[in-house]
Amino acid sequence: MIEVSFALLALLAGALVYSLLSIVAVFRYLSVAPPAKASTEPVSILKPLAGLDDGLESNLRTFFEQDYPSFEILFAVRGETDPAVAVVEKLRAEYAQIPSRLLVTGEPPYPNAKVFSLAQMLAVTGNDLVVMSDSDIRVTPDFLRRVSAEFGVPNLGIATCPYRAVPGSSFWSRLEATGMNTDFISGILVARMLEGMKFAVGPTIVARKRVLEAIGGFDRLKDYLAEDFVMGKFAAEAGYGVILSSYVIEHHIGSANLRQNIAHRLRWARSTRRSRPAGYIGQLFTMPFPVALLLVAVHLEWWPVLPLIVVLRFLAAYVASARVLRANLNWLLLPLEDLIGFAVWIAGFFGSTITWRGRRYRVLADGRFAPIAASDSEA
């Protein structure tokens, strides 16, 4: 029992330090002034699509309405019967003055279908500066001006955009958005402060085409589930700059039900555990509330630590969500999100299979993944 109590106290102390670090990391990030010099470099926007996301037309429309002198938009679908095709063609006709193109790729030979779509689009663009953005993203008209200006820095290869999660109508969607807008961004900011950006994350990444080709192209990324993470990792290892952009995008996550929400969380946890094993274990320090509850369950007399933990936890969450993301949170959901996140974190240590867009895959030890037959058993 003494060993358990000591371990819980050590974890709680580490979680408190992490909360303080996350607050400092926010202000370190905010202290970097956006570049003042504008850019007119041509940009290619790459949009891999698969089906109809909630608000797809509104999402895509924001990319056609960019206040930028020279850009094109490329879309990719697997087949002509994909329902996203009608939305794309409607917008292409409405914004005929914007250069755009729709590619039909066929069934992907890569485990990561998104990477295959990106590879097909990248192959037909002549612009060096590319924006890879998922279908559930919305931006303001100054998006391209902001991110292109950041690439005035020599040797910059990758910029990853922080995102504000916008939930759908379901309770589970609002709960997940709470975690994304607090814990996820805090983790990125702390890693950025302590070791620099040596990875990329999120549903919108800006990159140099020549840098992508220099690190092996999408062929090198095709077997990874977290292709965004390793894209930044490989670029940093090759000596290129990787930054966290000053531009915050909107990530509309839809209205997932409980089953879909848990499947998504487990997919992320099992991928992260293999992509960043040490970082995954370290996530325990991002969970002061569940750790404090465990400590009080063992030693009831330690209950006075709970108010301190709650105050610091809420303060760290507020600074990250309000100052960086400008997100509106339902603060009553934060303790519940912490408890569910803790349970999913534990579950992430078990099993190696995931479900993604209706297909089952096995995540391998190095972060790669491969499709599995329906007859295969759960690991």
Side-chain angles (χ1 to χ4, degrees):
M1 184 64 71
I2 294 177
E3 292 80 3
V4 172
S5 300
F6 179 80
L8 289 173
L9 280 171
L11 286 174
L12 189 58
L16 290 173
V17 170
Y18 175 84
S19 294
L20 293 172
L21 284 174
S22 69
I23 294 173
V24 174
V26 165
F27 291 101
R28 289 282 296 273
Y29 169 74
L30 294 175
S31 69
V32 178
K37 186 177 180 180
S39 171
T40 58
E41 179 180 0
V43 179
S44 294
I45 301 171
L46 313 183
K47 282 280 183 182
L49 303 176
L52 287 177
D53 292 320
D54 291 344
L56 178 63
E57 181 177 336
S58 297
N59 299 342
L60 299 182
R61 185 180 298 276
T62 65
F63 287 86
F64 278 98
E65 296 182 343
Q66 288 301 295
D67 179 18
Y68 195 74
S70 180
F71 70 97
E72 66 174 354
I73 310 178
L74 287 82
F75 303 93
V77 295
R78 293 188 191 182
E80 295 179 351
T81 59
D82 191 303
V85 170
V87 176
V88 170
E89 294 296 6
K90 175 185 176 182
L91 290 171
R92 292 183 66 211
E94 184 176 344
Y95 296 91
Q97 76 281 10
I98 303 298
S100 62
R101 183 174 177 181
L102 174 63
L103 304 181
V104 178
T105 66
E107 286 301 309
Y110 295 175
N112 192 321
K114 173 185 171 182
V115 169
F116 181 66
S117 292
L118 289 172
Q120 300 306 298
M121 289 184 284
L122 189 68
V124 299
T125 179
N127 295 330
D128 187 50
L129 191 58
V130 296
V131 173
M132 297 163 282
S133 183
D134 290 353
S135 57
D136 50 8
I137 300 305
R138 292 185 193 180
V139 292
T140 53
D142 63 337
F143 166 65
L144 287 183
R145 285 194 288 110
R146 293 272 300 276
V147 297
S148 63
E150 293 177 327
F151 277 79
V153 178
N155 203 48
L156 179 60
I158 303 283
T160 184
C161 291
Y163 58 87
R164 175 174 59 254
V166 179
S169 59
S170 74
F171 170 78
W172 300 105
S173 175
R174 295 195 298 273
L175 194 65
E176 184 172 10
T178 300
M180 289 181 175
N181 291 335
T182 54
D183 295 340
F184 188 70
I185 183 62
S186 294
I188 295 172
L189 292 171
V190 170
R192 172 185 176 273
M193 181 177 68
L194 296 181
E195 61 180 7
M197 289 296 293
K198 298 181 179 179
F199 57 92
V201 293
T204 296
I205 294 174
V206 189
R208 291 283 182 197
K209 180 179 180 179
R210 63 177 182 266
V211 171
L212 295 176
E213 293 171 344
I215 64 173
F218 286 114
D219 187 63
R220 189 181 180 189
L221 308 178
K222 68 181 186 297
D223 297 318
Y224 288 94
L225 179 60
E227 85 289 336
D228 51 354
F229 177 86
V230 294
M231 183 189 302
K233 177 175 179 288
F234 293 155
E237 290 174 347
Y240 296 100
V242 180
I243 66 167
L244 184 63
S245 174
S246 63
Y247 187 89
V248 178
I249 60 173
E250 278 192 0
H251 181 20
H252 289 249
I253 63 175
S255 297
N257 57 32
L258 174 59
R259 181 185 60 80
Q260 294 167 331
N261 183 263
I262 295 300
H264 176 263
R265 289 173 183 261
L266 278 176
R267 182 173 73 242
W268 181 260
R270 287 171 176 171
S271 171
T272 304
R273 177 165 67 90
R274 289 161 175 82
S275 299
R276 297 185 67 197
Y280 188 77
I281 294 173
Q283 285 182 12
L284 185 57
F285 292 108
T286 71
M287 307 174 188
F289 185 59
V291 174
L293 287 179
L294 288 173
L295 179 62
V296 172
V298 175
H299 292 286
L300 188 59
E301 66 274 15
W302 280 85
W303 69 265
V305 304
L306 283 176
L308 172 64
I309 294 300
V310 169
V311 169
L312 188 57
R313 173 72 177 100
F314 273 69
L315 178 61
Y318 168 78
V319 170
S321 62
R323 295 299 303 274
V324 175
L325 302 180
R326 307 292 181 184
N328 295 317
L329 296 182
N330 183 338
W331 294 100
L332 295 178
L333 294 180
L334 187 58
L336 179 58
E337 168 60 23
D338 282 356
L339 293 174
I340 292 178
F342 180 66
V344 172
W345 177 78
I346 293 174
F349 285 99
F350 304 94
S352 61
T353 61
I354 61 167
T355 301
W356 189 23
R357 292 192 179 274
R359 300 186 180 187
R360 295 179 68 239
Y361 300 86
R362 188 175 306 281
V363 185
L364 308 178
D366 61 355
R368 300 173 193 263
F369 74 128
I372 58 176
S375 58
D376 286 358
S377 60
E378 173 74 23

